């Protein structure tokens, strides 16, 4: 396992996934409203006061080979629509959120369908990718780096949730997170901003998610996990992921039914004082209203250290 990525590696990823800096055409904020078949390509998009790109109720929109950021708001904000593709770009809003929530995400998508995020470098957002009520969402082959919550904000590399805090609006469904390098580093000397991560990859109010073949490293939250099925998340599959030093928890099942946790490898050598410090846990956190049933945990290799040196791989 590899534990860190240097700034030079990040720079090379940016150069390969977006055009070389000299080839990008500068642009101010872009709004795409009720459009079909729009392509944004080869731009460096910045905004001092608001979102860099807004996509509203549009379909078959592609953003590719571009740099988005810094931004006064979100990097890309998507509302509704279908068939949005964000590929081979560098997205870095960088603005520190004044409070929760979703003021300065890398990508914030609200109730959209068939969203593809692939081959991007996404860094320094409140959350790097935040999806609310998304359907058929695929996040594949990206480098996700150093979200800047959670003291004032969310702090996820990826999260799918419901826009209504009680889960009464549209839920997430059919979410795929695979082949990503997901990193949270406190190293302010190497990166523009250190991480402040809660859960690196998390789900709530979700019916159906597949998280597989990802490498996830870093994090120091007392409550967060590398991967978590949180409130009202059901039928998630966490398979063949590698997790290294993700703080107090590797993989957590905190609620819901029908989960599968299999063939993952977890090594947490960085215990957090006052936290649970488990490789994998399964429990009913939301005791008044939650559910916890029919979860399968098999063929994992899991080891987590506690502050006193004790070791624990699994707790339920």
């Amino acid at each position: 396992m590899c534990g860190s990525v240097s700034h030079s590696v990040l720079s090379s990823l940016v150069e390969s996934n977006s055009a070389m800096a000299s080839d990008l055409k500068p642009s101010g904020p872009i709004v795409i409203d009720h459009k079909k078949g729009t392509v944004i390509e080869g731009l460096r998009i910045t905004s001092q006061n608001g979102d860099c790109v807004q996509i509203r109720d549009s379909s078959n929109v592609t953003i590719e080979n571009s740099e988005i950021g810094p931004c006064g708001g979100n990097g890309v904000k998507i509302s509704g629509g279908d068939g949005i593709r964000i590929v081979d770009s560098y997205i870095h809003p960088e603005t520190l959120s004044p409070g929760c929530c979703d003021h300065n995400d890398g990508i914030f998508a609200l109730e959209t369908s068939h969203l593809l995020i692939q081959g991007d470098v996404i860094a320094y957002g409140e959350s790097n990718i935040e999806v609310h009520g998304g359907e058929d969402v695929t996040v594949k082959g990206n480098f996700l780096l150093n979200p800047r919550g959670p003291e004032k904000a969310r702090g996820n590399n990826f999260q799918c949730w419901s826009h209504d805090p009680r889960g009464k609006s549209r839920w997430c469904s059919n979410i795929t997170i695979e082949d990503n390098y997901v990193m949270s580093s406190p190293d302010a000397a190497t990166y523009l901003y250190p991480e402040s991560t809660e859960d690196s990859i998390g789900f709530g109010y979700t019916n159906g998610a597949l998280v597989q073949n990802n490498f996830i490293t870093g994090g120091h939250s007392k409550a967060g996990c590398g991967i978590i099925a949180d409130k009202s998340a059901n039928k998630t599959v966490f398979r063949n992921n590698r997790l290294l030093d993700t703080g107090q928890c590797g993989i957590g099942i905190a609620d819901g039914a029908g989960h599968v946790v299999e063939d993952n490898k977890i090594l947490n050598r960085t215990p957090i004082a006052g936290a649970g410090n488990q490789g994998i846990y399964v429990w009913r956190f939301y005791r008044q209203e939650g559910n916890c049933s029919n979860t399968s945990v098999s063929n994992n290799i899991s080891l987590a250290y506690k502050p006193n040196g004790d070791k624990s791989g699994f707790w339920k």
Side-chain angles (χ1 to χ4, degrees):
M1 289 184 175
C2 173
S4 64
V5 177
S6 70
H7 187 68
S8 63
V9 172
L10 173 60
S11 298
S12 68
L13 282 166
V14 172
E15 290 176 357
S16 64
N17 287 1
S18 61
M20 290 295 290
S22 59
D23 295 329
L24 296 175
K25 181 180 178 180
S27 171
I30 293 174
V31 177
I32 301 170
D33 195 356
H34 289 84
K35 302 289 186 181
K36 293 182 179 180
T38 303
V39 177
I40 297 172
E41 183 177 11
L43 299 182
R44 182 191 294 112
I45 305 166
T46 59
S47 173
Q48 293 185 347
N49 299 314
D51 303 329
C52 278
V53 179
Q54 295 186 46
I55 304 172
R56 304 172 186 154
D57 295 318
S58 298
S59 60
N60 299 324
V61 176
T62 296
I63 299 173
E64 61 184 349
N65 298 323
S66 293
E67 180 179 349
I68 299 173
C71 310
N74 298 291
V76 181
K77 183 176 181 180
I78 304 166
S79 301
D82 183 90
I84 313 299
R85 300 172 68 253
I86 303 172
V87 299
D88 299 333
S89 296
Y90 176 33
I91 302 171
H92 53 111
E94 298 189 31
T95 303
L96 186 61
S97 299
C100 192
C101 292
D102 306 312
H103 302 288
N104 302 111
D105 296 331
I107 298 172
F108 176 45
L110 173 61
E111 298 192 351
T112 190
S113 301
H114 301 101
L115 171 63
L116 174 66
I117 301 169
Q118 181 169 331
D120 302 298
V121 176
I122 307 176
Y124 313 133
E126 173 189 331
S127 284
N128 282 325
I129 303 172
E130 184 75 27
V131 178
H132 283 192
E135 180 179 359
D136 295 316
V137 175
T138 299
V139 178
K140 184 173 183 179
N142 303 280
F143 179 31
L144 307 180
L145 173 70
N146 286 13
R148 300 183 68 197
E151 286 86 354
K152 296 182 179 181
R154 297 189 189 279
N156 306 101
N157 275 300
F158 172 89
Q159 181 174 253
C160 210
W161 206 261
S162 168
H163 197 58
D164 188 297
R166 296 161 296 178
K168 292 184 178 180
S169 60
R170 181 172 166 183
W171 285 28
C172 297
S173 62
N174 194 24
I175 312 299
T176 300
I177 313 296
E178 64 179 344
D179 299 327
N180 300 283
Y181 194 117
V182 183
M183 182 176 179
S184 297
S185 172
D187 187 354
T190 301
Y191 302 103
L192 289 176
Y193 305 97
E195 63 94 3
S196 188
T197 306
E198 183 68 11
D199 299 305
S200 197
I201 296 176
F203 300 89
Y205 300 104
T206 297
N207 283 320
L210 172 64
V211 181
Q212 67 178 3
N213 302 328
N214 301 282
F215 179 78
I216 303 160
T217 184
H220 64 271
S221 168
K222 288 185 177 181
C225 295
I227 308 172
I228 187 169
D230 209 326
K231 189 173 185 179
S232 297
N234 301 290
K235 298 180 181 179
T236 66
V237 177
F238 302 154
R239 177 184 295 135
N240 198 36
N241 300 284
R242 304 295 181 264
L243 296 98
L244 176 65
D245 298 338
T246 55
Q248 73 94 29
C249 167
I251 294 177
I253 303 295
D255 197 21
H259 302 292
V260 176
V261 181
E262 64 182 11
D263 298 323
N264 301 283
K265 293 183 179 179
I266 299 165
L267 175 60
N268 274 354
R269 306 166 298 180
T270 53
I272 307 299
N277 297 297
Q278 297 292 337
I280 299 172
Y281 70 69
V282 178
W283 72 318
R284 184 181 176 185
F285 178 76
Y286 301 96
R287 296 187 179 185
Q288 298 300 318
E289 54 184 321
N291 177 32
C292 186
S293 61
N294 299 324
T295 291
S296 171
V297 180
S298 63
N299 298 321
N300 302 281
I301 299 174
S302 175
L303 174 62
Y305 286 86
K306 294 181 176 294
N308 65 359
D310 289 347
K311 302 172 184 178
S312 180
F314 176 68
W315 178 83
K316 66 179 179 65

